[in-house]
Amino acid sequence: MTACRVLELGCGDGGNLVPMAYGLPSSRFVGVDLSRRAVERAADVIAALGLQNAEVRCADFAAHAERHGLRYLAEADFFEMTVPAELASAFAELDDPIEREQYLDFFKGRLFRQTLLCHAETEVEEPGPARVAGMLAASPAQPDGDPEAGRVTFRGPKGASLTTDEPLAKAAMLALGAAWPDAVPVSELGDGEALHSLLLQAYAANLVQLHVWTPALATTPSARPRASALARLQATEGSRITNLRHATLEVTDDLGRHLIRLLDGTRDRPALLRELDRPPDELERSLDGLAAAALLEA
């Protein structure tokens, strides 16, 4: 998965495409969008970062997808494909996946799609517990209350939660929370269909992330901390910063953005303190926060 080819239809200004190209230099990325202005902004960022594995074009490929042997596969965010329990019986009658997703757009008020296409002849399998075994899992969820209690609820930052009294499940969720923002091989969390099923359910509920690749990020600040070149560039232009886990963060304070710009891997603590004119303990808290936010490279 570190060497793949990606075509993104409706790439906009590259907010999705460019971070992937930055994180996967051995892969090739092509973005297409109808907005010439958005494509020009994406091209400027690609040029500023010196990326050789990405290009953007102003065109419309969506109308030609089927003619070129492509078909709908799924949404990039699996959680967006889940049907609310109260609508399950009605959606069970929908056989056409396109029609099904269109109705989900209406019911969820979904304005932005992240559709994945595949070759028409590709054999598609429904996700099952067996698929989870060889993957990596990550989750910021933390226990709400004493983890030694019988039943424990783990809560994520976006309102998702999981309540369980299974020792293996609790141990797995605690391990993921302790490792965050890093990912953990599922094989290190335990074995068996019960655990794999739990992780798959938590993934569908948007509480656990499942991957086959994980970025090289630092969970603790090094002697000379380094934020990604993309984050440093974005910090010069505004408050929206893309972290190494491909999530967008709002860094609204000028001091925080200034610190990110300074973290190019050449400055140690004394150099950073001279630039910032802040107490050492404040700098350490800020660096720890950036590491927890997956903004520091290993």
Side-chain angles (χ1 to χ4, degrees), residues 104-121:
L104 277 178
D105 287 342
F106 298 149
F107 284 111
K108 293 189 173 187
R110 193 165 55 184
L111 302 177
F112 176 69
R113 300 194 60 81
Q114 302 174 72
T115 299
L116 301 177
L117 303 177
C118 67
H119 291 287
E121 67 276 11

Side-chain angles (χ1 to χ4, degrees), residues 73-285:
L73 173 62
E75 293 302 302
D77 190 343
F78 185 68
F79 171 72
E80 289 296 334
M81 299 177 64
T82 58
V83 177
E86 61 271 22
L87 300 174
S89 58
F91 272 77
E93 301 176 6
L94 299 176
D95 296 325
D96 184 352
I98 303 299
E99 185 180 14
R100 180 179 183 276
E101 289 300 315
Q102 181 70 83
Y103 277 113
L104 277 178
D105 287 342
F106 298 149
F107 284 111
K108 293 189 173 187
R110 193 165 55 184
L111 302 177
F112 176 69
R113 300 194 60 81
Q114 302 174 72
T115 299
L116 301 177
L117 303 177
C118 67
H119 291 287
E121 67 276 11
T122 300
E123 183 178 349
V124 178
E125 299 179 19
E126 290 294 321
R131 290 286 186 184
V132 177
M135 301 184 78
L136 299 154
S139 176
Q142 295 294 328
D144 185 3
D146 182 6
E148 300 298 326
R151 291 179 67 80
V152 180
T153 298
F154 292 87
R155 301 190 186 278
K158 296 183 178 180
S161 65
L162 169 72
T163 301
T164 180
D165 58 2
E166 292 291 332
L168 184 61
K170 291 193 289 185
M173 293 304 299
L174 287 171
L176 293 179
W180 179 262
D182 210 353
V184 179
V186 171
S187 59
E188 294 182 8
L189 297 174
D191 197 8
E193 186 174 347
L195 175 63
H196 299 160
S197 296
L198 169 89
L199 292 173
L200 189 60
Q201 292 167 11
Y203 173 60
N206 209 25
L207 189 67
V208 167
Q209 302 171 15
L210 294 174
H211 310 276
V212 294
W213 170 85
T214 188
L217 53 83
T219 56
T220 57
S222 64
R224 297 176 183 270
R226 184 179 71 242
S228 75
L230 174 60
R232 299 198 308 272
L233 176 65
Q234 291 174 325
T236 67
E237 300 177 343
S239 61
R240 293 174 64 83
I241 311 294
T242 304
N243 70 8
L244 293 167
R245 295 201 61 83
H246 202 67
T248 301
L249 311 174
E250 285 285 347
V251 182
T252 56
D253 62 296
D254 293 336
L255 183 62
R257 293 195 299 274
H258 182 45
L259 174 57
I260 291 173
R261 294 194 295 269
L262 292 174
L263 299 181
D264 60 3
T266 66
R267 296 175 175 86
D268 58 12
R269 297 298 194 282
L272 290 171
L273 289 170
R274 286 194 298 272
E275 293 273 4
L276 294 170
D277 191 25
R278 286 293 189 274
D281 60 335
E282 184 177 322
L283 172 61
E284 287 306 318
R285 285 196 301 271

Side-chain angles (χ1 to χ4, degrees), residues 6 8-23 29-47 49 51 54-57 112 230 233-234 237 240-243 246 248:
V6 176
E8 182 177 12
L9 308 180
C11 67
D13 61 4
N16 183 57
L17 189 81
V18 172
M20 290 192 294
Y22 180 84
F29 298 85
V30 175
V32 176
D33 200 276
L34 282 172
S35 170
R36 185 169 300 280
R37 183 175 297 179
V39 167
E40 288 173 352
R41 288 199 300 270
D44 288 343
V45 175
I46 289 171
L49 292 171
L51 298 179
E55 63 176 295
V56 285
R57 304 174 186 173
F112 176 69
L230 174 60
L233 176 65
Q234 291 174 325
E237 300 177 343
R240 293 174 64 83
I241 311 294
T242 304
N243 70 8
H246 202 67
T248 301

